[in-house]
Amino acid sequence: MDVRALHRQMTQYNRWKRQLDERLQRFEAWGESHQMLSLDVQRTLQKARTLLRGDSFTIACVGEFSRGKTELINALLYTEGGRRLLPSQPGRTTMCPTEIFWDAQTPVNCVRLLPIETRRTNTSLQKFKRIPQNWVTVNFDPRDHEQTRAAINQVSASKWVSPADALKLGFAMDELGERDDQGRVAVPAWRHALISLDHPLLRQGLRIVDTPGLNALGNEPELTLKTLPEAQAILFLMSADAGVTASDMAIWREHVQTLRDEQCTAVLALLNKIDSLWDDLQSPAEVNTAIEQIRHTTAQQLKLAPEQVIALSAKQGLLAKVGRNLPQLERSNFPQLERKLADVVLHSQQQIIGHRLVGDSYEMIINTRNSLAQRLNACEAEINVLRAAAPQEAAETLQQLRDTIRQTHHQYHKQALSLRTSQRLLESQRVALLAPVSSGLLEQQISSAHRNLAQSWTTLGLARAIGNFFDDVDSSLQHIEREIERANRVLISIYERPEHNLTGDDLLMRHLLKIHNQRRQLRQLHKRADDFRFSLNTLLTRKGALINRFINTLVQEVRNTYQELNDHISQWLQEALAPLIHNNQYQKQLLEAHMLRLTQLQTQRNTHAEQIESLQTNIYQLQTALGSLEPLYQEIISAPLVSDASEKLAEIRSGQVVSLMEARKAARAN
């Protein structure tokens, strides 16, 4: 039985990325050695390598208090030593959102804690992450288990404050427990925790986010507007003995379901603590039947496929790993979760495979090798013609060869001029593409929304102001999608010209302008804004500070997405024709070098034998360059990148445009 599926898949995933990176590095080194790659090609390779080195995989654990999220993380990260990594004993629960990762840039094991008092400001978590002096840092030696436990236990710390202070920090009275003898209430000591830990899985790029319950999700807008949407997988935890409770369903509807439906985030619903259903007075078959009934009922309630609901025991999985007890581990059903997560990691690999930069880099290697092979064949044919010519005919033969090269070079020169015209044609789309998402227009829309909010601090006024703002956003997106349709039609017409001699649509598909990710992000923000509007009746009398923080965070996330769109469009305008331009430049470079060589042979008055020897030297140089590139080429064609292209070129050619509002309605209808 495979009990290390996730670790193995993460290892394979990173080994695969390193292999891709190493191949691109070899191509860079080859180009530098033979002086055969332009600066544009080198920049593309560097961007692709940055993409491969910077990718990470985030799992977010979401659920109410006491659902076993912390124990689940302990089981996922267990290596050896017989101890829990995170505090998970009665009376100790994670009080603040916690991110667990390995920071290779600052290799030190530590817990960084953001004081709860920072909630009194409107400063976002992302900004606080860039201000180290606002955090309390506790370093620890992972070999010292007591020191490690003491440091990480800080995520469970609470403090006593007056009810008035609790309200200022964004807590409502019904969210807090009993008061002490001085009338104070307990609140989390920290707003957010960052745990940098040297661990094998975390070193592979795994990042885990632990979110402590519905109240924490509701009080920290950035968790729902930024952190959760950036996760590749969400583990939604419930308790098997309780089933889906009202608070579980609230978290599901408000924070998880939308990400699954509209952002295509991988979601696994976990019925934890199935060991509470184990009954020695019942047969194993009866117990399993009862658990299966709960699992299928949960799938129906959440409208999930049954295979997306896993009944397990994180505690028994951890104990089984500690005791190396395979039967107990199998009964805990923990390996099934690890295999499911391994499948999600594999999906992330497919996304990288489909990335334009990676595909372009492979295309460049293949085209460079094929162009070099064609030039070598042409040179070998030329030398055979020169050998067959009589010595007295050598000059005329060289002239004929040079004329042939000049004609071919002229064709590529005309193609280069055509590509420059095409580049200018694409560039002429810049203003129309960027105008709907310009920072100036957005700031006008934001200012208008803020004025409306300030003028009417009522439920109806707030709801209308937020709704009007997203109506403006939706209108801008409809506008830009129409412009994208026009720009893509221009690109298709360029790529389909016979002179480019392209077969298949893969290359074109990679270079069409697509804004799926940004559109999903804005759709998600729109949905969150709608949910927030519907909850204003409850919030208005309780959490004025939270309303301000939510609206500021919402606006900032829209601003960030608009900036992504601007950067994405600008990059597309620069690189949409990159494969065509690279192939043209490389062919011209080879032809120009050879034309210069033939000209020198004509002017130097060399003997026939010396002319043949000079051409043979050139052939040796081409053979050497091709020979050193061939192993890399063979590796690539023997294991090509295969991506699951979800878009069909026919659909893009038809220019179907759907608004955010229509897409959102369609998603809800499904």
Side-chain angles (χ1 to χ4, degrees):
M1 180 181 63
D2 179 14
V3 298
R4 294 171 59 84
L6 177 59
H7 188 277
R8 192 188 74 253
Q9 188 60 55
M10 286 293 297
T11 301
Q12 290 177 348
Y13 176 52
N14 282 280
R15 185 184 300 124
W16 173 81
K17 288 198 299 179
R18 285 194 298 271
Q19 183 183 58
L20 278 185
D21 183 60
E22 184 265 341
R23 286 173 178 170
L24 300 187
Q25 184 181 28
R26 283 163 58 191
F27 186 49
E28 275 187 311
W30 177 87
E32 184 176 345
S33 173
H34 296 280
Q35 297 182 342
M36 288 188 172
L37 297 183
S38 68
L39 288 175
D40 288 339
V41 172
Q42 292 176 38
R43 279 194 288 268
T44 298
L45 292 172
Q46 289 164 5
K47 288 178 182 177
R49 294 187 64 197
T50 299
L51 170 73
L52 292 170
R53 291 193 295 265
D55 190 55
S56 63
F57 182 81
T58 300
I59 297 172
C61 298
V62 178
E64 266 295 15
F65 285 103
S66 301
R67 296 298 189 260
K69 297 187 297 296
T70 302
E71 197 76 316
L72 180 86
I73 296 171
N74 283 329
L76 279 173
L77 295 181
Y78 179 78
T79 50
E80 59 183 14
R83 293 179 176 85
R84 290 179 172 89
L85 176 65
L86 302 179
S88 181
Q89 59 263 37
R92 305 287 297 187
T93 186
T94 304
M95 297 293 289
C96 66
T98 302
E99 298 179 50
I100 309 167
F101 57 96
W102 171 243
D103 187 355
Q105 302 301 316
T106 54
V108 60
N109 293 277
C110 68
V111 180
R112 296 176 61 213
L113 302 152
L114 185 64
I116 193 68
E117 287 76 13
T118 58
R119 273 200 186 174
R120 292 173 178 164
T121 73
N122 287 326
T123 305
S124 68
L125 280 173
Q126 292 304 309
K127 286 186 178 178
F128 273 122
K129 287 180 179 180
R130 298 192 291 269
I131 311 173
Q133 56 266 34
N134 286 111
W135 297 72
V136 175
T137 300
V138 182
N139 296 326
F140 61 88
D141 182 350
R143 296 167 297 184
D144 185 330
H145 296 292
E146 286 303 314
Q147 190 182 100
T148 302
R149 184 179 63 82
I152 295 180
N153 271 353
Q154 284 292 328
V155 302
S156 300
S158 60
K159 64 191 304 181
W160 295 96
V161 299
S162 69
D165 284 340
L167 286 172
K168 290 177 182 177
L169 292 172
F171 296 100
M173 287 300 100
D174 58 357
E175 296 174 359
L176 303 168
E178 297 180 358
R179 303 189 182 194
D180 68 358
D181 54 6
Q182 300 178 40
R184 298 177 304 177
V185 292
V187 299
W190 311 107
R191 180 181 177 183
H192 203 81
L194 303 171
I195 301 177
S196 178
L197 179 68
D198 191 357
H199 181 280
L201 267 175
L202 303 179
R203 271 189 172 272
Q204 299 283 11
L206 180 66
R207 190 181 192 95
I208 299 177
V209 179
D210 186 5
T211 58
L214 180 60
N215 290 338
L217 289 168
N219 284 321
E220 284 295 353
E222 277 184 88
L223 288 178
T224 54
L225 296 176
K226 184 173 182 65
T227 305
L228 293 186
E230 289 180 346
Q232 281 78 23
I234 292 179
L235 304 182
F236 176 56
L237 275 81
M238 297 158 288
S239 183
D241 56 354
V244 184
T245 67
S247 58
D248 290 334
M249 188 57 76
I251 291 180
W252 173 259
R253 287 173 175 164
E254 294 175 23
H255 303 289
V256 180
Q257 186 177 20
T258 303
L259 291 172
R260 186 204 64 173
D261 293 345
E262 299 188 7
Q263 191 131 328
C264 302
T265 305
V267 173
L268 296 175
L270 307 183
L271 286 164
N272 195 19
K273 305 182 181 181
I274 59 169
D275 49 322
S276 65
L277 304 178
W278 295 350
D279 189 344
D280 292 339
L281 298 180
Q282 289 184 309
S283 68
E286 290 174 320
V287 172
N288 289 336
T289 298
I291 291 173
E292 280 299 293
Q293 286 178 340
I294 295 172
R295 194 171 70 84
H296 282 273
T297 299
T298 301
Q300 290 173 353
Q301 289 175 293
L302 301 181
K303 298 180 181 179
L304 287 173
E307 57 268 21
Q308 289 179 283
V309 181
I310 302 174
L312 52 73
S313 172
K315 178 180 178 181
Q316 294 299 322
L318 175 61
L319 293 175
K321 288 185 175 185
V322 172
R324 301 180 182 274
N325 187 329
L326 289 182
Q328 182 184 12
L329 185 62
E330 184 175 10
R331 193 180 186 194
S332 76
N333 216 16
F334 202 82
Q336 183 182 355
L337 169 62
E338 293 186 312
R339 287 192 291 271
K340 286 284 188 181
L341 289 173
D343 290 341
V344 180
V345 174
L346 186 61
H347 177 68
S348 292
Q349 178 173 325
Q350 291 296 320
Q351 290 180 317
I352 289 182
I353 286 174
H355 197 284
R356 178 184 54 77
L357 286 171
V358 176
D360 277 2
S361 298
Y362 263 43
E363 194 83 29
M364 288 173 180
I365 296 172
I366 293 170
N367 286 341
T368 298
R369 180 267 178 194
N370 289 340
S371 296
L372 194 57
Q374 291 170 6
R375 182 91 300 271
L376 179 60
N377 290 336
C379 288
E380 289 175 340
E382 286 176 356
I383 199 171
N384 288 333
V385 169
L386 191 60
R387 282 193 180 116
Q392 60 272 23
E393 299 172 350
E396 183 180 350
T397 303
L398 282 174
Q399 183 61 45
Q400 291 173 350
L401 293 176
R402 188 171 178 274
D403 289 344
T404 301
I405 293 291
R406 184 187 291 111
Q407 290 174 5
T408 306
H409 180 269
H410 182 66
Q411 293 173 0
Y412 280 105
H413 181 67
K414 285 177 59 179
Q415 187 186 77
L417 294 176
S418 175
L419 284 171
R420 287 179 198 169
T421 302
S422 298
Q423 184 65 55
R424 287 194 294 270
L425 183 60
L426 278 185
E427 189 62 34
S428 69
Q429 312 287 312
R430 178 183 293 273
V431 174
L433 284 169
L434 293 178
V437 289
S438 69
S439 59
L441 177 60
L442 177 61
E443 293 307 321
Q444 289 178 17
Q445 295 167 347
I446 292 172
S447 296
S448 176
H450 277 307
R451 283 195 303 272
N452 292 335
L453 288 168
Q455 291 168 4
S456 182
W457 194 250
T458 64
T459 300
L460 182 60
L462 288 170
R464 185 182 291 118
I466 295 172
N468 289 342
F469 172 67
F470 272 96
D471 285 345
D472 290 340
V473 171
D474 185 53
S475 176
S476 295
L477 262 289
Q478 291 183 53
H479 187 180
I480 196 174
E481 285 174 326
R482 288 192 292 270
E483 296 302 330
I484 287 173
E485 179 191 346
R486 295 189 185 97
N488 279 334
R489 288 182 182 277
V490 171
L491 190 75
I492 290 170
S493 68
I494 295 170
Y495 270 74
E496 289 184 341
R497 290 173 186 168
E499 65 202 63
H500 299 309
N501 196 30
L502 298 178
T503 58
D505 288 329
D506 289 348
L507 189 64
L508 173 56
M509 279 296 301
R510 278 204 307 270
H511 289 82
L512 290 170
L513 178 55
K514 306 164 199 166
I515 59 168
H516 305 323
N517 291 338
Q518 294 83 2
R519 189 164 48 202
R520 276 197 298 268
Q521 290 168 17
L522 289 170
R523 188 185 302 142
Q524 173 70 14
L525 292 170
H526 198 165
K527 173 63 169 58
R528 292 294 184 197
D530 281 352
D531 293 342
F532 187 77
R533 290 161 64 192
F534 299 144
S535 67
L536 279 172
N537 278 322
T538 317
L539 287 170
L540 201 58
T541 57
R542 305 189 316 162
K543 295 184 177 180
L546 172 60
I547 292 174
N548 272 326
R549 197 158 64 244
F550 182 91
I551 291 173
N552 288 338
T553 304
L554 186 73
V555 166
Q556 186 56 46
E557 287 306 308
V558 172
R559 191 181 278 122
N560 292 343
T561 305
Y562 269 48
Q563 185 58 53
E564 279 186 33
L565 278 168
N566 276 266
D567 294 343
H568 180 64
I569 291 168
S570 295
Q571 187 175 14
W572 178 80
L573 289 168
Q574 293 174 0
E575 300 179 357
L577 301 181
L580 305 181
I581 293 172
H582 161 253
N583 189 51
N584 174 270
Q585 287 179 341
Y586 188 63
Q587 294 281 8
K588 279 183 62 185
Q589 179 182 341
L590 291 174
L591 290 168
E592 285 166 359
H594 194 57
M595 197 158 51
L596 177 61
R597 189 171 294 107
L598 291 176
T599 301
Q600 290 173 342
L601 289 179
Q602 282 185 298
T603 57
Q604 289 174 354
R605 301 182 180 278
N606 293 329
T607 65
H608 189 212
E610 288 173 339
Q611 291 171 343
I612 292 174
E613 183 181 357
S614 178
L615 290 180
Q616 187 63 58
T617 300
N618 175 52
I619 288 175
Y620 289 151
Q621 292 172 346
L622 293 176
Q623 287 174 336
T624 300
L626 182 62
S628 59
L629 184 59
E630 190 68 19
L632 177 59
Y633 170 79
Q634 292 298 331
E635 285 180 31
I636 287 174
I637 62 171
S638 64
L641 294 172
V642 179
S643 64
D644 181 17
S646 59
E647 305 92 352
K648 295 180 181 178
L649 189 58
E651 294 175 357
I652 294 174
R653 285 186 172 118
S654 69
Q656 297 295 323
V657 178
V658 180
S659 71
L660 278 176
M661 190 71 72
E662 291 169 329
R664 189 158 55 88
K665 288 179 180 177
R668 285 180 172 174
N670 294 333

